[in-house]
Amino acid sequence: MTNDACPFMIRVFIEERRHNEEQDYDEKRGKVPECTEVQVHAWLNMSLSDLADLLIQKLYSETEVKKSKEKWRDGELNLNNYSKMSFKVVFTDSEGVTVMDYIGTSEIFGANTGNTTSLQSVKFRAGDMLDVALLQ
């Protein structure tokens, strides 16, 4: 991965065992899912595998820092219980309707098993959000 462009922030909403629903998002009203949200800086040429690695690092650091604040609804999240991240891009179309499109799945904690699909190849734009499901 080369970082020859300017990075941008992505809001990522993470749910265990499932994706959130389109109705959980309403950008006009500022409504987002009531689940774990992390914010990461990324580049359009990042692959889903790179993004999964970045999210794992972020989740571990946030969990360590905020253990006492019960960041996870069901208690502390044990990322070792999951082997994949499923990604959906969330955006508002030209008519103001929230749209979620599946863009891929990446293995986590595995060497060279990740998804090489880039954010640019799925037409991700600054301002779009990601909905991530942690799967076994």
Side-chain angles (χ1 to χ4, degrees), residues 1 8-12 14 38-59 85-89 103-104 106-108 114-119 122 124 129-132:
M1 175 182 73
F8 56 95
M9 188 193 73
I10 304 176
R11 292 178 75 185
V12 183
I14 302 170
V38 296
Q39 298 175 359
V40 295
H41 287 90
W43 290 262
L44 284 174
N45 60 352
M46 285 183 84
S47 70
L48 293 183
S49 180
D50 294 333
L51 196 52
D53 290 345
L54 182 62
L55 288 171
I56 291 297
Q57 291 173 8
K58 182 80 171 179
L59 288 170
M85 283 187 182
S86 175
F87 294 88
K88 288 187 177 183
V89 62
I103 58 173
S106 183
E107 300 287 326
I108 55 178
N115 188 321
T116 59
T117 302
S118 72
L119 292 175
V122 297
F124 192 95
M129 297 177 279
L130 286 174
D131 190 89
V132 174

Side-chain angles (χ1 to χ4, degrees), residues 27 30 84:
E27 202 167 341
K84 295 183 262 190

Side-chain angles (χ1 to χ4, degrees), residues 13 15 18-27 30-35 73 90 98 100 129 131:
F13 298 90
E15 190 67 73
R18 68 174 183 85
H19 279 283
N20 293 295
E21 303 292 330
E22 287 178 352
Q23 63 264 21
D24 294 330
Y25 295 91
D26 186 345
E27 202 167 341
K31 179 182 175 191
V32 293
E34 293 183 18
C35 63
R73 259 187 286 150
V90 182
T98 300
M100 290 178 72
M129 297 177 279
D131 190 89

Side-chain angles (χ1 to χ4, degrees), residues 73-129:
R73 259 187 286 150
D74 300 325
E76 187 177 331
L77 176 68
N78 183 350
L79 294 173
N80 292 321
N81 291 337
Y82 302 98
S83 63
K84 295 183 262 190
M85 283 187 182
S86 175
F87 294 88
K88 288 187 177 183
V89 62
V90 182
F91 61 95
T92 303
D93 69 11
S94 60
E95 297 176 10
V97 176
T98 300
V99 178
M100 290 178 72
D101 283 336
Y102 173 78
I103 58 173
T105 301
S106 183
E107 300 287 326
I108 55 178
F109 300 122
N112 299 321
T113 59
N115 188 321
T116 59
T117 302
S118 72
L119 292 175
Q120 187 169 25
S121 71
V122 297
K123 299 182 176 37
F124 192 95
R125 297 179 306 180
D128 291 350
M129 297 177 279

